[in-house]
Amino acid sequence: MDVADLRREFAEAGQEHVFRFWEELDGAGRECLRGQLEAVDLDELRSLVETLVLSEPSAAEDLSAVEPPTFTALPGHGGDEQGWREARAAGEEALRAGRVAAFTVAGGQGTRLGFDGPKGTFPLTPVRRASLFQVFAEKILSARETYGTELPWWIMTSPANHAATVAFFEENGFFGLGSGDVHFFPQGMLPAVDPDGKLLLESPSSLALSPDGHGGSLRALLRSGATAAMAERGIDTISYFQVDNPLENTMDPAFLGFHLLGGSEMSSKMVAKTDPEEKVGIFVRQGDHLRVLEYSDLPEEWMRLRDPDGSLRFRAANIAIHVLDRAFVERMGAKGGDLPVHRAVKRIGVVDEEGRTVTPEEPNGIKFEMFVFDALPRARNPLLLETSRAENFSPVKNAEGRDSPRTAREDLLRQYTRWLRAAGTGVPLGAEGLPTVNFEISPLRGFDEHAFLARPANHHLPSPAEGTVYDGES
Ligand code: UTP
């Protein structure tokens, strides 16, 4: 578009200030800014500013008719063992038939972890310090071997970490997966604004942009051509997970099976919330819909309500593991995502009058993002499955303390210990159920406990010593 036209459009929208350094920019700077401005949907921006920035903060969430949801319980918690066996068999059949893709959302900024690089490249495991990406890659390799399937993997990056993510896979030979079976695409970005709804400039030649949230994955899957490529390969089922959870199995046969047998368009895993204060979203039923209430939207008194058996009434915690029907993603994506946009007040680096980027001490702007769980109320037959926290969830969010690399390593060690003991190998235990030695089991030996125990070579392994790695060799 002609710069004069662009300038007029932005002026009409009350955003002409984004051109304030234009005269000083060189050719490359102008190209950069112009490209970003052309990508801004001014109508969408106007409506976001009106509803999320300039209006009074909307009254509290509508909590009418909200109740705890129904869910399929684990066999140990009253779930039907036969139903679980049938689901696992159905999921395995879909895997063998090549109907499943793994999908990781890895476009986040990882601000809390503060690691210099894409979060998936963080060196995590207890001995090898294998990265999160390597952990998932090895699980996929193990599942491939088990099911004789290709199980291709799509990874959503952001423009900020795309090149570094792809380079990491190239440097590591795609961890043996084959470059044709790992696909990357960047998610969309949304501009940040100040409290008056004015676009923020990060530098003279760049808007302050941030990724449009994991909910942006639905439209990005479609726009990038990922869903079309899946369709071409006969894939109709997408196993969705986050880059920061090393206990995620990349796909779970029983979960896939429940999803497929239930004719569901979107299914989610839940674990029981441990304490009322745990900062997780909660699944609820509202009328006919399954939805997630963010931690901050659950009223204090509801947080502490208990059922007669003593368990928390609103305990169904969202651990961000979903199965999505490909056609559902296509339908949602075609509507531009069709998910509500949320606001987050943040500290945002902005340009000062001299053209330098300065990040203030206090929040100065508003970012916009979408959440993938907001798609649940739009899905046919959404299904909620209980799962074991110990086997499925230990996120790496913070540099220290709760949900940090240290807690994730400890949870991995507890998992290795359970698996070895189940396979007949003794592991000396110390405090808090942790082994007295630091060791590691490569996911190549089994992507989950079932797969680990199904391999004869994993039975009666020697007890671990300090630094033992049970690698992929059988
Ligand atoms: P989080 O909400 O934990 O955000 O993302 P984050 O960006 O990783 O970390 P903080 O909040 O800045 O500390 C949960 C998952 O969703 C992905 C992340 O990469 C992570 O796997 N995500 C988040 C995206 O892919 N895109 C986004 O825009 C946001």
Side-chain angles (χ1 to χ4, degrees):
M1 188 193 285
D2 191 80
V3 177
D5 290 340
L6 200 60
R7 206 164 180 148
R8 194 169 42 251
E9 278 192 8
F10 275 76
E12 279 166 17
Q15 304 283 3
E16 199 188 4
H17 62 284
V18 296
F19 285 94
R20 75 177 190 271
F21 295 99
W22 186 260
E23 307 313 326
E24 298 150 37
L25 294 179
D26 61 14
R30 286 183 176 187
E31 268 322 291
C32 172
L33 184 60
R34 178 184 158 143
Q36 289 183 355
L37 295 177
E38 280 175 349
V40 173
D41 180 337
L42 282 171
D43 290 333
E44 184 188 37
L45 179 70
R46 211 173 277 129
S47 116
L48 290 178
V49 165
E50 241 161 61
T51 52
L52 295 173
V53 182
L54 300 180
S55 335
E56 285 300 303
S58 60
E61 275 292 309
D62 170 18
L63 297 177
S64 55
V66 162
E67 288 178 60
T70 45
F71 59 85
T72 302
L74 279 167
H77 293 173
D80 167 30
E81 295 213 16
Q82 179 61 18
W84 275 80
R85 269 195 297 278
E86 284 167 14
R88 187 170 181 100
E92 292 185 329
E93 198 182 310
L95 284 160
R96 277 194 207 94
R99 291 172 57 190
V100 181
F103 174 48
T104 308
V105 286
Q109 295 173 305
T111 339
R112 285 167 288 171
L113 183 62
F115 172 63
D116 184 20
K119 216 190 225 187
T121 67
F122 185 87
L124 185 79
T125 63
V127 181
R128 295 184 298 164
R129 292 290 192 257
S131 63
L132 284 153
F133 281 137
Q134 181 169 349
V135 169
F136 300 135
E138 290 180 346
K139 289 184 187 190
I140 291 174
L141 284 166
S142 160
R144 275 189 186 178
E145 191 188 317
T146 305
Y147 299 115
T149 176
E150 287 169 344
L151 194 59
W153 187 13
W154 271 264
I155 298 172
M156 183 175 82
T157 60
S158 78
N161 70 16
H162 184 83
T165 303
V166 176
F168 185 74
F169 275 79
E170 283 169 353
E171 282 155 24
N172 288 285
F174 292 82
F175 302 102
L177 287 168
S179 57
D181 281 324
V182 191
H183 309 273
F184 308 86
F185 61 89
Q187 69 180 106
M189 303 288 275
L190 285 172
V193 296
D194 72 9
D196 296 323
K198 300 288 180 201
L199 285 165
L200 290 170
L201 280 176
E202 182 188 67
S203 76
S205 61
S206 178
L207 292 171
L209 297 168
S210 58
D212 60 3
H214 41 63
S217 61
L218 300 182
R219 60 186 184 189
L221 276 164
L222 186 74
R223 284 182 190 163
S224 66
T227 45
M230 289 176 190
E232 217 159 89
R233 294 179 75 145
I235 291 166
D236 58 14
T237 306
I238 303 172
S239 174
Y240 171 109
F241 56 96
Q242 300 192 157
V243 76
D244 55 14
N245 178 14
L247 286 183
E248 158 58 40
N249 296 323
T250 70
M251 46 80 241
D252 174 341
F255 185 32
L256 290 165
F258 275 117
H259 169 88
L260 291 167
L261 293 174
S264 167
E265 287 187 317
M266 177 168 179
S267 301
S268 303
K269 277 190 178 181
M270 59 142 265
V271 300
K273 193 171 165 179
T274 43
D275 73 85
E277 310 291 337
E278 189 183 2
K279 291 197 166 141
V280 278
I282 292 293
F283 290 103
V284 296
R285 179 153 288 280
Q286 187 169 35
D288 289 339
H289 293 307
L290 179 65
R291 59 175 289 210
V292 171
L293 276 186
E294 281 185 80
Y295 169 79
S296 49
D297 290 330
L298 191 69
E300 273 285 322
E301 66 274 17
W302 289 20
M303 255 185 222
R304 284 164 225 292
L305 284 179
R306 298 216 176 244
D307 281 340
D309 68 359
S311 51
L312 290 170
R313 183 157 169 73
F314 289 100
R315 63 177 174 283
N318 176 24
I319 56 171
I321 302 176
H322 309 283
V323 177
L324 294 157
D325 185 38
R326 195 200 71 234
F328 175 62
V329 173
E330 286 164 350
R331 196 173 81 229
M332 293 294 293
K335 294 188 204 160
D338 197 25
L339 295 179
V341 177
H342 301 255
R343 55 176 259 155
V345 179
K346 300 263 179 174
R347 293 168 53 221
I348 299 168
V350 286
V351 75
D352 66 10
E353 284 316 312
E354 272 76 57
R356 290 174 308 225
T357 306
V358 185
T359 305
E361 293 297 318
E362 296 299 321
N364 59 326
I366 292 141
K367 289 184 176 181
F368 301 111
E369 57 181 342
M370 291 176 282
F371 301 144
V372 75
F373 53 72
D374 281 331
L376 271 174
R378 321 277 169 98
R380 197 182 60 235
N381 301 337
L383 183 139
L384 189 57
L385 185 72
E386 187 186 23
T387 195
S388 138
R389 178 187 288 261
E391 289 292 332
N392 283 268
F393 187 54
S394 186
V396 179
K397 298 284 185 197
N398 306 306
E400 313 268 344
R402 198 166 184 162
D403 296 340
S404 65
R406 183 180 60 75
T407 54
R409 282 180 193 126
E410 288 177 357
D411 287 337
L412 284 170
L413 278 165
R414 290 191 183 96
Q415 181 184 55
Y416 304 150
T417 302
R418 281 192 305 276
W419 291 9
L420 281 183
R421 291 183 147 201
T425 296
V427 182
L429 285 191
E432 295 171 32
L434 280 171
T436 53
V437 291
N438 189 40
F439 70 98
E440 177 166 342
I441 300 178
S442 160
L444 292 171
R445 285 186 167 264
F447 61 88
D448 68 3
E449 181 174 13
H450 200 278
F452 181 80
L453 294 176
R455 284 175 145 230
N458 290 338
H459 287 263
H460 307 291
L461 289 164
S463 283
E466 181 65 26
T468 296
V469 176
Y470 300 95
D471 62 19
E473 304 300 316
S474 301

